[in-house]
Amino acid sequence: MRKAIREDKQLVIDILVSAFLPLEGENSINFVVKQDHHRKKRTAVLMGYLFERAFMFGEIFISSNNKACILFNYPNQIQSNFKTILLDVKLATQCIGLSRVFKILKRERLTNKHYPKENHLRPIIFGVIEAYKGTGTGGRLLLEVKRHFENLKLPV
């Protein structure tokens, strides 16, 4: 396992798109991504958004074989700034669709009510390249991440 660097952005996007694009049923990703003929491109925009937010306000870990990743945020570190506003606008216009923004914001408000109010570590998204699902790649990454955070006294 290694911690992602800025140059890993496309790798992380590729892993997450590969993991979630085949899932066509109801899930959080498909709720956010506008479902049209640009679905793959819109999914990549969402994954890029998640990378940027985790890179600014959390940590990103990649498996040693570069086939799985997990993104975390430290919610107490999240703050709005010009860059986050631009990211939000890009997400709304290139992924969600302006007509669906309020629906997504409503769901986000509802889910945020269930997170701890105290300082905590929040897993954002975890994915394994489709061809590597079932090989133990994801499980090994999760075990390594668990060991990495063992001494951290924050709830997950």
Side-chain angles (χ1 to χ4, degrees):
M1 172 186 86
R2 64 186 177 87
K3 190 172 174 181
I5 59 174
R6 167 113 351 245
E7 290 77 14
D8 290 317
K9 181 177 180 177
Q10 192 59 53
L11 172 64
V12 169
I13 291 171
D14 292 346
I15 291 169
L16 295 173
V17 168
S18 173
F20 287 94
L21 198 61
L23 306 177
E24 295 184 357
E26 287 187 32
N27 62 54
S28 295
I29 302 302
N30 287 336
F31 182 79
V32 172
V33 175
K34 185 175 179 181
Q35 301 296 299
D36 62 10
H37 64 284
H38 297 293
R39 182 172 171 255
K40 183 175 183 177
K41 180 182 174 187
R42 293 179 192 281
T43 302
V45 169
L46 174 61
M47 300 315 173
Y49 173 87
L50 296 175
F51 177 92
E52 290 295 336
R53 299 279 301 196
F55 200 79
M56 285 188 287
F57 306 119
E59 295 184 89
I60 303 165
F61 297 99
I62 301 172
S63 63
S64 56
N65 66 356
N66 290 338
K67 305 300 179 189
C69 64
I70 186 165
L71 288 66
F72 289 92
N73 277 343
Y74 297 104
N76 66 313
Q77 294 180 8
I78 295 174
Q79 54 189 340
S80 290
N81 57 44
F82 186 69
K83 184 172 182 175
T84 61
I85 292 168
L86 287 177
L87 285 170
D88 291 344
V89 169
K90 180 179 178 183
L91 183 70
T93 58
Q94 296 181 14
C95 175
I96 296 171
L98 292 175
S99 64
R100 300 175 56 249
V101 167
F102 291 108
K103 182 178 174 181
I104 303 303
L105 289 173
K106 180 181 177 184
R107 182 174 177 180
E108 184 177 345
R109 271 193 312 278
L110 288 172
T111 58
N112 282 340
K113 287 182 182 180
H114 299 286
Y115 287 116
K117 301 299 179 223
E118 68 271 3
N119 192 10
H120 65 283
L121 176 66
R122 185 180 301 172
I124 299 302
I125 192 165
F126 166 72
V128 178
I129 287 182
E130 179 70 18
Y132 284 79
K133 289 182 180 175
T135 65
T137 295
R140 280 189 297 279
L141 177 59
L142 290 176
L143 287 173
E144 291 174 22
V145 166
K146 182 179 182 251
R147 279 193 293 274
H148 175 78
F149 287 121
E150 271 179 346
N151 295 327
L152 191 63
K153 301 298 181 206
L154 292 175
V156 177

